[in-house]
Amino acid sequence: AFVVSAGVAVFEVALALRGQRELGLAAGQIAAMFTLCSGVMIAVQALVFSPLVRPVFTRWLIAPALAVMAAGLVAVPLTADFGVMLGVIAAIAASAGILSPILTYWTASQAGHRSGADLGRQTAFASLGAAAGSAAGGVLYDVAWLPNASFVLMAAVLGLAVWPALTLPRRLQPRA
């Protein structure tokens, strides 16, 4: 939850800064990027948590979604074309849009009688990740000796999170 929220926060801050400073995008274009994000997140959540997808299957989506989010963060600073940028943003939004509710679902389903405490802990870590990611996104954006530091470093953190996430499908066996 911490890593996902930090990734989304870094993405939001650094994307707005890049759009304004480097790409010279108008406020309406930046707003369109964030509107696309919200729309994609809603659509993906509606699909993943629909009757078409069994909830037990969602444990297999965590590692790939982390990988897509990491790859998207690497791609953002490499993309200057607005149309291509929207595609990259949609990929990041799709991965972020399914990760948070899937993590909440599995936290609640695995917690048993501790569900309140575990969900509270997850929310605290997600909030801490959002705060840390927002601060890091802004501070790292201006690091001159490491171009695109906010995108690259967060992508590395998300990439490292893929490895332990690969073990989750086995560990998240539904309880009888």
Side-chain angles (χ1 to χ4, degrees):
F2 177 89
V3 172
V4 171
S5 291
V8 169
V10 164
F11 168 68
E12 289 173 348
V13 170
L15 181 67
L17 289 170
R18 182 168 190 271
Q20 179 187 42
R21 292 183 184 177
E22 294 177 32
L23 302 176
L25 299 178
Q29 289 174 300
I30 294 172
M33 292 189 302
F34 286 107
T35 301
L36 173 70
C37 267
S38 297
V40 168
M41 286 179 166
I42 290 168
V44 169
Q45 288 173 6
L47 175 66
V48 170
F49 291 98
S50 74
L52 300 173
V53 178
R54 290 184 30 216
V56 71
F57 176 74
T58 61
R59 69 184 195 264
W60 294 96
L61 300 175
I62 298 169
L66 287 168
V68 167
M69 192 177 205
L73 286 176
V74 169
V76 167
L78 303 175
T79 306
D81 180 76
F82 189 68
V84 174
M85 176 82 71
L86 291 178
V88 172
I89 290 168
I92 294 170
S95 62
I98 64 172
L99 279 166
S100 291
I102 286 173
L103 294 174
T104 301
Y105 169 79
W106 284 104
T107 298
S109 70
Q110 296 290 304
H113 70 283
R114 305 178 323 271
S115 62
D118 286 359
L119 287 170
R121 195 172 308 116
Q122 179 188 6
T123 300
F125 278 110
S127 297
L128 185 59
S134 294
V139 170
L140 290 173
Y141 189 83
D142 291 327
V143 174
W145 56 270
L146 183 58
N148 303 307
S150 52
F151 294 112
V152 173
L153 293 176
M154 194 66 234
V157 170
L158 287 162
L160 290 172
V162 171
W163 179 67
L166 291 171
T167 66
L168 288 176
R170 180 181 42 80
R171 292 181 9 201
L172 293 175
Q173 293 296 328
R175 292 186 177 179

